[in-house]
Amino acid sequence: MAHLLHTTFLPSSSSLPQKSCLSSCPSHISSSRTRVHAKIREIFMPALSSTMTEGKIVSWVKSEGDKLSKGESVVVVESDKADMDVETFYDGYLAAIMVEEGGVAAVGSAIALLAESQEEIEEAKSKAAASSSSSSPARDPTPSAAAPAPESTVSVDKAVLVAPPSPSVVASAVHPASEGGMRVVASPYAKKLANELKVELGRVIGSGPNGRIVAKDVEAAAAGAAELGSTAAKVSGAPSVHAPPGFELESVVPFTIMQGAVSRNMMESLSVPTFRVGYTITTNALDALYKKIKSKGVTMTALLAKATALALVKHPVINSSCRDSNSFTYNSCVNIAVAVAIDGGLITPVLQDADKVDIFSLSRKWKELVDKARAKQLQPQEYNTGTFTLSNLGMFGVDRFDAILPPGTGAIMAVGASQPTVVGTKDGQIGMKNQMQVNVTADHRVIYGADLAAFLQTLAKIIEDPKDLTF
């Protein structure tokens, strides 16, 4: 989603009208601007989500001195939810990088300077050096533009940065090394493949534009490594072993941007009065349905989300939300957020209108969302619009657990594994059934015990007779 930030034109010539005249004499502004022969703009940290207060520079797609065109990707920024390419809104040259890769900057603070022409690059570098020596570190939330501009024939403006609106493929970059001026640039999918295939990007030669590493380069490198490993194993007579990534015991590791956001949300959750209700649901019929339609691409997560959505339609208070402690909202949409663990954090992709979408489309959408989540490419509307949350640890063999209520929602349901259980039948016999435990954590300011019990009874009926899930 594109975020356009306000810009401020700062005349630097001592003969130009001062700030007071800029607001009262518009005719002077026009004539003054024509006398400005050079312009330097600040590239500053954009707000990529409504909850973002700071961002981390994942990688610079461009290097200092590179020519930029409007709409071209300049930097990859890690927000509290995803990695996103950020584009320049002006033509020019990337004159000076003020926040290096791995650095963190507050939203609105300068991270680089953009020069209008090559002649202004050195002037921009001088300004960046002066700003770095006189300002606080990158985490300081005060934008460097707040400092008085030194007198010069060069003006300083702000370069608007834009995040692309939900592209099908978002160009990204990864620079694992910067020593000696070496920079490795890769696409997001190549980065994902490299992580999965244990390929070191610094050793891969890119075949894309300007040497950019693409997926086929990573696959070729992985195939070559596998061939070498096989040969070595034959020579040594022992299989190759991949050592797990090392870590230092008792070391202090700072939160990532995402972990910090999760931490703040969890602390906020402590202020909400909650209660928990558990329920046992027989899953024989659901398991049989899943086995029947699994080959068509249907996932168990989609089936559970669909069943939950149909139950929420009949119990709208469970789908409500309370955000101000004085009122609550009956949400018009049933959007099921499902917790997904990703590298370095947790995110909840949202299946929107899950009650209305057929199970096959819902399953395809879920797979797409999971892929985007793990590549950190989710758009804000794909993770912040949930009205009810599912957390499923059943696939790990967990039989029961409690979940923490996400702020701004009415309830979250923790789903355990379905397991064969010996039960007594109505005729007094002993039988075997597959059963799972679900535990719901709810906001007690809005939802009461009887409401939740009725919802769980409806959910159990849908799961135990799942004929409506395939319509």
Side-chain angles (χ1 to χ4, degrees), residues 114-388:
L114 179 72
E116 198 171 61
S117 64
Q118 285 183 307
E119 291 73 20
E120 298 150 21
I121 292 179
E122 290 304 319
E123 181 71 21
K125 288 182 177 180
S126 299
K127 288 181 177 292
S131 176
S132 298
S133 62
S134 62
S135 63
S136 55
R139 283 187 178 271
D140 187 347
T142 306
S144 60
E151 292 189 5
S152 169
T153 58
V154 180
S155 67
V156 179
D157 201 354
K158 286 193 173 183
V160 180
L161 292 182
V162 181
S166 307
S168 57
V169 178
V170 182
S172 183
V174 181
H175 302 162
S178 296
E179 295 183 5
M182 299 290 291
R183 302 177 77 86
V184 180
V185 184
S187 70
Y189 187 50
K191 176 184 175 184
K192 178 185 175 185
L193 276 180
N195 184 54
E196 293 175 350
L197 301 177
K198 310 298 182 186
V199 173
E200 185 179 345
L201 286 173
R203 299 178 180 272
V204 179
I205 299 175
S207 62
N210 300 318
R212 192 182 186 95
I213 298 171
V214 294
K216 66 179 182 180
D217 302 324
V218 177
E219 291 170 346
E227 186 175 340
L228 287 174
S230 176
T231 303
K234 289 177 182 178
V235 172
S236 64
S240 59
V241 178
H242 294 286
F247 58 90
E248 185 179 350
L249 296 177
E250 297 187 10
S251 60
V252 178
V253 181
F255 279 164
T256 63
I257 300 294
M258 179 175 288
Q259 288 171 330
V262 171
S263 175
R264 290 190 295 272
N265 281 340
M266 295 304 96
M267 294 300 294
E268 185 179 343
S269 294
L270 294 177
S271 65
V272 178
T274 59
F275 72 108
R276 296 167 178 81
V277 174
Y279 206 92
T280 302
I281 301 176
T282 300
T283 64
N284 290 72
L286 183 68
D287 295 337
L289 175 63
Y290 175 58
K291 185 177 180 180
K292 181 180 178 181
I293 61 178
K294 179 181 179 181
S295 61
K296 298 180 181 179
V298 174
T299 66
M300 180 57 76
T301 296
L303 284 170
L304 291 172
K306 180 73 172 180
T308 302
L310 293 177
L312 288 170
V313 170
K314 298 181 179 180
H315 301 275
V317 69
I318 311 299
N319 193 50
S320 64
S321 57
C322 176
R323 294 183 174 88
D324 59 5
S325 298
N326 296 313
S327 62
F328 66 97
T329 302
Y330 287 107
N331 293 302
S332 59
C333 299
V334 179
N335 296 339
I336 305 298
V338 185
V340 173
I342 62 175
D343 186 22
L346 178 74
I347 198 166
T348 52
V350 177
L351 289 166
Q352 298 182 358
D353 295 317
D355 57 316
K356 300 174 183 176
V357 180
D358 67 85
I359 192 63
F360 303 101
S361 299
L362 205 64
S363 295
R364 288 193 296 271
K365 184 62 178 178
W366 176 242
K367 290 180 179 179
E368 175 191 329
L369 289 171
V370 170
D371 288 343
K372 292 178 72 174
R374 289 176 177 161
K376 302 184 75 175
Q377 296 296 334
L378 286 175
Q379 298 300 308
Q381 70 274 12
E382 294 175 322
Y383 59 74
N384 64 10
T385 55
T387 59
F388 184 94

Side-chain angles (χ1 to χ4, degrees), residues 63-140:
S63 304
E64 288 187 352
D66 286 353
K67 182 174 176 56
L68 305 179
S69 299
K70 179 180 177 180
E72 194 171 10
S73 295
V74 179
V75 62
V76 181
V77 171
E78 176 188 349
S79 72
D80 55 353
K81 301 293 184 182
D83 289 357
M84 298 183 71
D85 269 28
V86 180
E87 304 171 348
T88 177
F89 202 59
Y90 292 93
D91 296 333
Y93 293 85
L94 182 58
I97 293 175
M98 302 172 68
V99 181
E100 295 293 338
E101 293 169 6
V104 177
V107 169
S109 60
I111 58 176
L113 293 181
L114 179 72
E116 198 171 61
S117 64
Q118 285 183 307
E119 291 73 20
E120 298 150 21
I121 292 179
E122 290 304 319
E123 181 71 21
K125 288 182 177 180
S126 299
K127 288 181 177 292
S131 176
S132 298
S133 62
S134 62
S135 63
S136 55
R139 283 187 178 271
D140 187 347

Side-chain angles (χ1 to χ4, degrees), residues 441-459:
T441 303
D443 185 342
H444 213 335
R445 297 172 300 176
V446 181
I447 301 170
Y448 306 127
D451 300 322
L452 206 49
F455 162 74
L456 288 170
Q457 287 176 339
T458 301
L459 177 64

